[in-house]
Amino acid sequence: ETGVTQTPRHLVMGMTNKKSLKCEQHLGHNAMYWYKQSAKKPLELMFVYSLEERVENNSVPSRFSPECPNSSHLFLHLHTLQPEDSALYLCASSQDRSQGDLNVGSYNSPLHFGNGTRLTVT
Amino acid sequence: DAKTTQPPSMDCAEGRAANLPCNHSTISGNEYVYWYRQIHSQGPQYIIHGLKNNETNEMASLIITEDRKSSTLILPHATLRDTAVYYCIVRPTGTASKLTFGTGTRLQVTL
């Protein structure tokens, strides 16, 4: 599925570098997510954006900085990372209930994931 | 969010049905059951979801017990390409956020 595209697929960076991960969705969705998947651990939710506003930040260290300039694009800016930050970073999108939608309690849009960026911090 | 319990691993012969169980005994009335799978080095792929009725699509069938405390994902004719980790997730209604992943079931389809 090519609905959610992440670049780069692989990234190696030193602890003093600054880099950014990019996610783009072509599904017309209005919510986007960052997840982290470390080796032998379940996926961990990092950030949620709905209608371009951050609605969740799961106690993620400040060396990870998300940016959502519009509903189709999501970035994760990285600086002064640690080796333990090496992981697969996954982006996802979904259709959130629109503001003013009075059909409360009925909306459940599946998340669609990209194939991730494999990050190695040296 | 309700937690789910899945067996860590299962085997299935190619061409046979794969039945993957999931327990979610603390599920509440407004929570859906979702299934995803993740093939090595790829992002999770949505399979199916349901509230209380059984559901079927081109990929799989979802059977939810009447008390909603457990469910079974059925892949009717498993192929080698179905080898993956399968995640059963319970998600509240009305929120388009937050899938909380557990450790899933690693399904190995063999010849």
Side-chain angles (χ1 to χ4, degrees):
Chain A
E1 182 175 323
T2 58
V4 180
T5 304
Q6 291 187 244
T7 53
R9 287 299 311 275
H10 301 272
L11 177 63
V12 179
M13 61 186 287
M15 289 190 287
T16 59
N17 290 158
K18 289 184 180 180
K19 296 286 184 183
S20 296
L21 310 184
K22 179 183 176 182
C23 176
E24 183 174 2
Q25 59 95 2
H26 308 277
L27 301 169
H29 289 163
N30 59 10
M32 297 188 78
Y33 312 74
W34 280 116
Y35 279 83
K36 174 185 177 182
Q37 188 172 31
S38 303
K40 302 190 179 181
K41 283 186 174 181
L43 278 81
E44 303 170 61
L45 180 66
M46 300 176 73
F47 301 104
V48 181
Y49 277 82
S50 178
L51 302 172
E52 300 159 38
E53 288 189 20
R54 193 189 312 178
V55 296
E56 186 147 351
N57 175 346
N58 266 7
S59 303
V60 178
S62 60
R63 57 185 183 270
F64 295 92
S65 175
E67 178 190 2
C68 187
N70 54 62
S71 60
S72 298
H73 293 87
L74 185 66
F75 295 89
L76 188 63
H77 303 300
L78 316 171
H79 65 96
T80 60
L81 293 193
Q82 305 298 313
E84 59 264 29
D85 296 323
S86 298
L88 180 67
Y89 288 84
L90 290 156
C91 173
S93 71
S94 70
Q95 184 61 25
D96 201 347
R97 185 173 69 241
S98 300
Q99 291 178 354
D101 184 344
L102 300 179
N103 195 8
V104 175
S106 66
Y107 208 93
N108 242 289
S109 163
L111 272 67
H112 293 263
F113 285 82
N115 281 328
T117 294
R118 173 71 60 189
L119 173 67
T120 303
V121 181
T122 61
Chain B
D1 295 349
K3 292 186 178 178
T4 61
T5 304
Q6 299 178 254
S9 64
M10 294 182 64
D11 292 331
C12 179
E14 190 177 32
R16 306 295 293 266
N19 297 295
L20 292 92
C22 180
N23 285 323
H24 30 80
S25 58
T26 59
I27 193 171
S28 61
N30 68 345
E31 290 178 318
Y32 278 69
V33 179
Y34 276 73
W35 283 84
Y36 279 75
R37 71 180 182 185
Q38 188 174 22
I39 296 168
H40 184 62
S41 297
Q42 296 182 20
Q45 178 188 21
Y46 166 75
I47 301 174
I48 199 166
H49 75 285
L51 184 63
K52 52 185 177 181
N53 298 322
N54 298 337
E55 303 287 344
T56 296
N57 63 21
E58 65 278 5
M59 291 183 67
S61 294
L62 173 61
I63 308 297
I64 303 174
T65 57
E66 193 169 340
D67 63 7
R68 303 208 325 120
K69 293 184 177 182
S70 65
S71 60
T72 302
L73 180 74
I74 301 172
L75 308 179
H77 306 285
T79 70
L80 297 178
R81 292 183 182 182
D82 292 321
T83 294
V85 177
Y86 287 77
Y87 297 99
C88 169
I89 302 164
V90 173
R91 184 188 185 205
T93 305
T95 57
S97 64
K98 223 172 182 176
L99 286 176
T100 303
F101 286 79
T103 53
T105 296
R106 180 170 298 279
L107 175 68
Q108 180 70 51
V109 181
T110 56
L111 290 171

PDB file of all heavy atoms in Angstrom, chain A residues 1 4-6 12 17-19 23 29 41 47 51 55 62 65 68-69 72 77 82 87 90 99 112 114 118:
ATOM      1  N   GLU A   1       0.840  -1.199   0.000  1.00  0.00           N
ATOM      2  CA  GLU A   1       0.000   0.000   0.000  1.00  0.00           C
ATOM      3  C   GLU A   1       0.870   1.243   0.000  1.00  0.00           C
ATOM      4  O   GLU A   1       1.819   1.335   0.745  1.00  0.00           O
ATOM      5  CB  GLU A   1      -0.885  -0.010   1.248  1.00  0.00           C
ATOM      6  CG  GLU A   1      -1.829   1.150   1.315  1.00  0.00           C
ATOM      7  CD  GLU A   1      -2.771   1.042   2.492  1.00  0.00           C
ATOM      8  OE1 GLU A   1      -3.200  -0.074   2.812  1.00  0.00           O
ATOM      9  OE2 GLU A   1      -3.070   2.070   3.069  1.00  0.00           O
ATOM     10  N   VAL A   4       0.574   5.841   2.604  1.00  0.00           N
ATOM     11  CA  VAL A   4       1.389   6.571   3.559  1.00  0.00           C
ATOM     12  C   VAL A   4       2.856   6.290   3.223  1.00  0.00           C
ATOM     13  O   VAL A   4       3.284   5.136   3.247  1.00  0.00           O
ATOM     14  CB  VAL A   4       1.095   6.138   5.012  1.00  0.00           C
ATOM     15  CG1 VAL A   4       1.964   6.920   5.988  1.00  0.00           C
ATOM     16  CG2 VAL A   4      -0.385   6.343   5.334  1.00  0.00           C
ATOM     17  N   THR A   5       3.577   7.340   2.887  1.00  0.00           N
ATOM     18  CA  THR A   5       4.966   7.214   2.427  1.00  0.00           C
ATOM     19  C   THR A   5       5.906   7.846   3.434  1.00  0.00           C
ATOM     20  O   THR A   5       5.706   8.999   3.832  1.00  0.00           O
ATOM     21  CB  THR A   5       5.146   7.912   1.069  1.00  0.00           C
ATOM     22  OG1 THR A   5       4.209   7.370   0.134  1.00  0.00           O
ATOM     23  CG2 THR A   5       6.554   7.696   0.542  1.00  0.00           C
ATOM     24  N   GLN A   6       6.931   7.091   3.828  1.00  0.00           N
ATOM     25  CA  GLN A   6       7.917   7.608   4.771  1.00  0.00           C
ATOM     26  C   GLN A   6       9.293   7.653   4.125  1.00  0.00           C
ATOM     27  O   GLN A   6       9.686   6.714   3.425  1.00  0.00           O
ATOM     28  CB  GLN A   6       7.982   6.730   6.018  1.00  0.00           C
ATOM     29  CG  GLN A   6       6.737   6.813   6.871  1.00  0.00           C
ATOM     30  CD  GLN A   6       6.891   6.062   8.184  1.00  0.00           C
ATOM     31  OE1 GLN A   6       6.198   5.080   8.450  1.00  0.00           O
ATOM     32  NE2 GLN A   6       7.804   6.551   9.014  1.00  0.00           N
ATOM     33  N   VAL A  12      21.222   6.516   9.261  1.00  0.00           N
ATOM     34  CA  VAL A  12      22.255   6.336  10.278  1.00  0.00           C
ATOM     35  C   VAL A  12      22.735   7.723  10.660  1.00  0.00           C
ATOM     36  O   VAL A  12      23.067   8.529   9.792  1.00  0.00           O
ATOM     37  CB  VAL A  12      23.434   5.492   9.757  1.00  0.00           C
ATOM     38  CG1 VAL A  12      24.494   5.342  10.839  1.00  0.00           C
ATOM     39  CG2 VAL A  12      22.936   4.118   9.298  1.00  0.00           C
ATOM     40  N   ASN A  17      24.266  14.779  15.486  1.00  0.00           N
ATOM     41  CA  ASN A  17      23.615  15.223  14.241  1.00  0.00           C
ATOM     42  C   ASN A  17      22.198  15.722  14.490  1.00  0.00           C
ATOM     43  O   ASN A  17      21.581  15.434  15.518  1.00  0.00           O
ATOM     44  CB  ASN A  17      23.533  14.061  13.246  1.00  0.00           C
ATOM     45  CG  ASN A  17      24.884  13.653  12.692  1.00  0.00           C
ATOM     46  OD1 ASN A  17      25.048  12.543  12.224  1.00  0.00           O
ATOM     47  ND2 ASN A  17      25.855  14.548  12.738  1.00  0.00           N
ATOM     48  N   LYS A  18      21.693  16.452  13.492  1.00  0.00           N
ATOM     49  CA  LYS A  18      20.274  16.814  13.425  1.00  0.00           C
ATOM     50  C   LYS A  18      19.745  16.283  12.109  1.00  0.00           C
ATOM     51  O   LYS A  18      20.318  16.562  11.055  1.00  0.00           O
ATOM     52  CB  LYS A  18      20.100  18.335  13.455  1.00  0.00           C
ATOM     53  CG  LYS A  18      20.401  19.006  14.769  1.00  0.00           C
ATOM     54  CD  LYS A  18      20.088  20.493  14.688  1.00  0.00           C
ATOM     55  CE  LYS A  18      20.393  21.188  16.007  1.00  0.00           C
ATOM     56  NZ  LYS A  18      20.082  22.643  15.936  1.00  0.00           N
ATOM     57  N   LYS A  19      18.654  15.564  12.203  1.00  0.00           N
ATOM     58  CA  LYS A  19      18.019  15.017  11.005  1.00  0.00           C
ATOM     59  C   LYS A  19      16.509  15.092  11.163  1.00  0.00           C
ATOM     60  O   LYS A  19      15.997  15.320  12.266  1.00  0.00           O
ATOM     61  CB  LYS A  19      18.414  13.546  10.802  1.00  0.00           C
ATOM     62  CG  LYS A  19      19.889  13.306  10.532  1.00  0.00           C
ATOM     63  CD  LYS A  19      20.262  13.731   9.129  1.00  0.00           C
ATOM     64  CE  LYS A  19      21.737  13.390   8.856  1.00  0.00           C
ATOM     65  NZ  LYS A  19      22.158  13.855   7.506  1.00  0.00           N
ATOM     66  N   CYS A  23       6.925  12.133   6.634  1.00  0.00           N
ATOM     67  CA  CYS A  23       5.791  11.259   6.345  1.00  0.00           C
ATOM     68  C   CYS A  23       4.794  12.041   5.502  1.00  0.00           C
ATOM     69  O   CYS A  23       4.501  13.210   5.788  1.00  0.00           O
ATOM     70  CB  CYS A  23       5.147  10.789   7.638  1.00  0.00           C
ATOM     71  SG  CYS A  23       3.653   9.799   7.417  1.00  0.00           S
ATOM     72  N   HIS A  29      -6.742  11.939   4.766  1.00  0.00           N
ATOM     73  CA  HIS A  29      -7.000  11.848   6.204  1.00  0.00           C
ATOM     74  C   HIS A  29      -6.671  13.158   6.911  1.00  0.00           C
ATOM     75  O   HIS A  29      -5.934  14.006   6.384  1.00  0.00           O
ATOM     76  CB  HIS A  29      -6.182  10.711   6.815  1.00  0.00           C
ATOM     77  CG  HIS A  29      -6.662   9.355   6.416  1.00  0.00           C
ATOM     78  ND1 HIS A  29      -5.887   8.213   6.559  1.00  0.00           N
ATOM     79  CD2 HIS A  29      -7.835   8.944   5.888  1.00  0.00           C
ATOM     80  CE1 HIS A  29      -6.574   7.171   6.133  1.00  0.00           C
ATOM     81  NE2 HIS A  29      -7.759   7.589   5.714  1.00  0.00           N
ATOM     82  N   LYS A  41      10.064  -5.084  21.316  1.00  0.00           N
ATOM     83  CA  LYS A  41       9.107  -4.348  22.149  1.00  0.00           C
ATOM     84  C   LYS A  41       7.871  -4.037  21.328  1.00  0.00           C
ATOM     85  O   LYS A  41       7.955  -3.903  20.098  1.00  0.00           O
ATOM     86  CB  LYS A  41       9.722  -3.026  22.618  1.00  0.00           C
ATOM     87  CG  LYS A  41      10.710  -3.128  23.742  1.00  0.00           C
ATOM     88  CD  LYS A  41      11.096  -1.722  24.178  1.00  0.00           C
ATOM     89  CE  LYS A  41      11.961  -1.729  25.392  1.00  0.00           C
ATOM     90  NZ  LYS A  41      12.305  -0.355  25.821  1.00  0.00           N
ATOM     91  N   PHE A  47       3.314  10.540  19.273  1.00  0.00           N
ATOM     92  CA  PHE A  47       2.571  11.792  19.065  1.00  0.00           C
ATOM     93  C   PHE A  47       1.335  11.527  18.212  1.00  0.00           C
ATOM     94  O   PHE A  47       1.337  10.639  17.354  1.00  0.00           O
ATOM     95  CB  PHE A  47       3.438  12.828  18.336  1.00  0.00           C
ATOM     96  CG  PHE A  47       4.707  13.200  19.029  1.00  0.00           C
ATOM     97  CD1 PHE A  47       5.921  12.713  18.583  1.00  0.00           C
ATOM     98  CD2 PHE A  47       4.695  14.043  20.134  1.00  0.00           C
ATOM     99  CE1 PHE A  47       7.106  13.054  19.212  1.00  0.00           C
ATOM    100  CE2 PHE A  47       5.869  14.392  20.770  1.00  0.00           C
ATOM    101  CZ  PHE A  47       7.076  13.894  20.317  1.00  0.00           C
ATOM    102  N   LEU A  51      -6.300  17.331  12.866  1.00  0.00           N
ATOM    103  CA  LEU A  51      -6.569  18.642  12.250  1.00  0.00           C
ATOM    104  C   LEU A  51      -5.398  19.590  12.480  1.00  0.00           C
ATOM    105  O   LEU A  51      -5.577  20.766  12.791  1.00  0.00           O
ATOM    106  CB  LEU A  51      -7.877  19.233  12.791  1.00  0.00           C
ATOM    107  CG  LEU A  51      -9.104  18.358  12.587  1.00  0.00           C
ATOM    108  CD1 LEU A  51     -10.313  18.915  13.312  1.00  0.00           C
ATOM    109  CD2 LEU A  51      -9.417  18.213  11.098  1.00  0.00           C
ATOM    110  N   VAL A  55      -2.512  16.541  19.674  1.00  0.00           N
ATOM    111  CA  VAL A  55      -3.502  16.205  20.690  1.00  0.00           C
ATOM    112  C   VAL A  55      -2.967  15.207  21.703  1.00  0.00           C
ATOM    113  O   VAL A  55      -3.605  14.946  22.722  1.00  0.00           O
ATOM    114  CB  VAL A  55      -4.798  15.649  20.051  1.00  0.00           C
ATOM    115  CG1 VAL A  55      -5.461  16.715  19.199  1.00  0.00           C
ATOM    116  CG2 VAL A  55      -4.526  14.412  19.220  1.00  0.00           C
ATOM    117  N   SER A  62      12.429  15.592  24.708  1.00  0.00           N
ATOM    118  CA  SER A  62      12.413  16.785  23.849  1.00  0.00           C
ATOM    119  C   SER A  62      13.379  16.690  22.677  1.00  0.00           C
ATOM    120  O   SER A  62      13.325  17.522  21.764  1.00  0.00           O
ATOM    121  CB  SER A  62      12.736  18.021  24.680  1.00  0.00           C
ATOM    122  OG  SER A  62      14.018  17.884  25.273  1.00  0.00           O
ATOM    123  N   SER A  65      11.107  16.137  18.101  1.00  0.00           N
ATOM    124  CA  SER A  65      10.239  17.293  17.931  1.00  0.00           C
ATOM    125  C   SER A  65       9.373  17.100  16.698  1.00  0.00           C
ATOM    126  O   SER A  65       9.878  17.114  15.576  1.00  0.00           O
ATOM    127  CB  SER A  65      11.093  18.557  17.789  1.00  0.00           C
ATOM    128  OG  SER A  65      10.280  19.672  17.506  1.00  0.00           O
ATOM    129  N   CYS A  68       3.661  19.281  12.104  1.00  0.00           N
ATOM    130  CA  CYS A  68       2.596  18.919  11.169  1.00  0.00           C
ATOM    131  C   CYS A  68       2.151  20.181  10.440  1.00  0.00           C
ATOM    132  O   CYS A  68       1.217  20.860  10.891  1.00  0.00           O
ATOM    133  CB  CYS A  68       1.431  18.267  11.912  1.00  0.00           C
ATOM    134  SG  CYS A  68       0.140  17.600  10.837  1.00  0.00           S
ATOM    135  N   PRO A  69       2.793  20.528   9.326  1.00  0.00           N
ATOM    136  CA  PRO A  69       2.478  21.786   8.636  1.00  0.00           C
ATOM    137  C   PRO A  69       1.120  21.792   7.948  1.00  0.00           C
ATOM    138  O   PRO A  69       0.531  22.850   7.760  1.00  0.00           O
ATOM    139  CB  PRO A  69       3.608  21.911   7.609  1.00  0.00           C
ATOM    140  CG  PRO A  69       4.062  20.508   7.384  1.00  0.00           C
ATOM    141  CD  PRO A  69       3.872  19.788   8.684  1.00  0.00           C
ATOM    142  N   SER A  72      -1.511  16.619   5.304  1.00  0.00           N
ATOM    143  CA  SER A  72      -0.900  15.563   4.500  1.00  0.00           C
ATOM    144  C   SER A  72       0.532  15.254   4.891  1.00  0.00           C
ATOM    145  O   SER A  72       1.087  14.255   4.439  1.00  0.00           O
ATOM    146  CB  SER A  72      -0.914  15.943   3.013  1.00  0.00           C
ATOM    147  OG  SER A  72      -2.226  16.102   2.546  1.00  0.00           O
ATOM    148  N   HIS A  77      11.553  15.774  13.846  1.00  0.00           N
ATOM    149  CA  HIS A  77      12.887  16.356  13.876  1.00  0.00           C
ATOM    150  C   HIS A  77      13.669  15.733  15.027  1.00  0.00           C
ATOM    151  O   HIS A  77      13.161  15.632  16.152  1.00  0.00           O
ATOM    152  CB  HIS A  77      12.797  17.876  14.032  1.00  0.00           C
ATOM    153  CG  HIS A  77      11.984  18.544  12.966  1.00  0.00           C
ATOM    154  ND1 HIS A  77      12.302  18.472  11.625  1.00  0.00           N
ATOM    155  CD2 HIS A  77      10.832  19.274  13.041  1.00  0.00           C
ATOM    156  CE1 HIS A  77      11.412  19.143  10.923  1.00  0.00           C
ATOM    157  NE2 HIS A  77      10.507  19.635  11.755  1.00  0.00           N
ATOM    158  N   GLN A  82      20.321   9.433  21.346  1.00  0.00           N
ATOM    159  CA  GLN A  82      21.118   8.445  22.055  1.00  0.00           C
ATOM    160  C   GLN A  82      21.045   7.113  21.314  1.00  0.00           C
ATOM    161  O   GLN A  82      20.077   6.852  20.585  1.00  0.00           O
ATOM    162  CB  GLN A  82      20.576   8.270  23.472  1.00  0.00           C
ATOM    163  CG  GLN A  82      20.485   9.563  24.271  1.00  0.00           C
ATOM    164  CD  GLN A  82      21.855  10.195  24.470  1.00  0.00           C
ATOM    165  OE1 GLN A  82      22.809   9.517  24.838  1.00  0.00           O
ATOM    166  NE2 GLN A  82      21.955  11.492  24.207  1.00  0.00           N
ATOM    167  N   ALA A  87      15.670   2.550  16.367  1.00  0.00           N
ATOM    168  CA  ALA A  87      14.376   1.855  16.304  1.00  0.00           C
ATOM    169  C   ALA A  87      13.779   2.046  14.919  1.00  0.00           C
ATOM    170  O   ALA A  87      14.325   2.764  14.079  1.00  0.00           O
ATOM    171  CB  ALA A  87      13.413   2.409  17.361  1.00  0.00           C
ATOM    172  N   LEU A  90       7.483   4.663  12.834  1.00  0.00           N
ATOM    173  CA  LEU A  90       6.352   4.444  11.948  1.00  0.00           C
ATOM    174  C   LEU A  90       5.392   5.619  12.002  1.00  0.00           C
ATOM    175  O   LEU A  90       5.078   6.134  13.078  1.00  0.00           O
ATOM    176  CB  LEU A  90       5.600   3.171  12.365  1.00  0.00           C
ATOM    177  CG  LEU A  90       6.348   1.870  12.100  1.00  0.00           C
ATOM    178  CD1 LEU A  90       5.846   0.771  13.021  1.00  0.00           C
ATOM    179  CD2 LEU A  90       6.188   1.453  10.653  1.00  0.00           C
ATOM    180  N   GLN A  99     -14.904  18.387  13.153  1.00  0.00           N
ATOM    181  CA  GLN A  99     -15.537  19.308  14.096  1.00  0.00           C
ATOM    182  C   GLN A  99     -16.958  19.606  13.629  1.00  0.00           C
ATOM    183  O   GLN A  99     -17.200  19.812  12.444  1.00  0.00           O
ATOM    184  CB  GLN A  99     -14.734  20.606  14.169  1.00  0.00           C
ATOM    185  CG  GLN A  99     -13.386  20.429  14.841  1.00  0.00           C
ATOM    186  CD  GLN A  99     -12.585  21.714  14.869  1.00  0.00           C
ATOM    187  OE1 GLN A  99     -12.994  22.706  14.299  1.00  0.00           O
ATOM    188  NE2 GLN A  99     -11.452  21.707  15.533  1.00  0.00           N
ATOM    189  N   HIS A 112      -3.838   3.775   8.983  1.00  0.00           N
ATOM    190  CA  HIS A 112      -3.049   3.213   7.889  1.00  0.00           C
ATOM    191  C   HIS A 112      -1.597   3.618   8.114  1.00  0.00           C
ATOM    192  O   HIS A 112      -1.303   4.802   8.293  1.00  0.00           O
ATOM    193  CB  HIS A 112      -3.562   3.735   6.543  1.00  0.00           C
ATOM    194  CG  HIS A 112      -4.930   3.247   6.221  1.00  0.00           C
ATOM    195  ND1 HIS A 112      -5.164   2.158   5.405  1.00  0.00           N
ATOM    196  CD2 HIS A 112      -6.150   3.678   6.618  1.00  0.00           C
ATOM    197  CE1 HIS A 112      -6.468   1.948   5.315  1.00  0.00           C
ATOM    198  NE2 HIS A 112      -7.095   2.857   6.036  1.00  0.00           N
ATOM    199  N   GLY A 114       2.649   3.678   7.292  1.00  0.00           N
ATOM    200  CA  GLY A 114       3.740   3.582   6.332  1.00  0.00           C
ATOM    201  C   GLY A 114       4.655   2.435   6.698  1.00  0.00           C
ATOM    202  O   GLY A 114       4.414   1.720   7.684  1.00  0.00           O
ATOM    203  N   ARG A 118      13.969   3.079   9.395  1.00  0.00           N
ATOM    204  CA  ARG A 118      14.844   2.341  10.303  1.00  0.00           C
ATOM    205  C   ARG A 118      15.989   3.265  10.694  1.00  0.00           C
ATOM    206  O   ARG A 118      16.826   3.610   9.873  1.00  0.00           O
ATOM    207  CB  ARG A 118      15.388   1.094   9.612  1.00  0.00           C
ATOM    208  CG  ARG A 118      16.432   0.334  10.409  1.00  0.00           C
ATOM    209  CD  ARG A 118      15.868  -0.386  11.591  1.00  0.00           C
ATOM    210  NE  ARG A 118      14.863  -1.381  11.237  1.00  0.00           N
ATOM    211  CZ  ARG A 118      14.110  -2.022  12.128  1.00  0.00           C
ATOM    212  NH1 ARG A 118      14.257  -1.778  13.421  1.00  0.00           N
ATOM    213  NH2 ARG A 118      13.226  -2.906  11.737  1.00  0.00           N
TER     214      ARG A 118
END
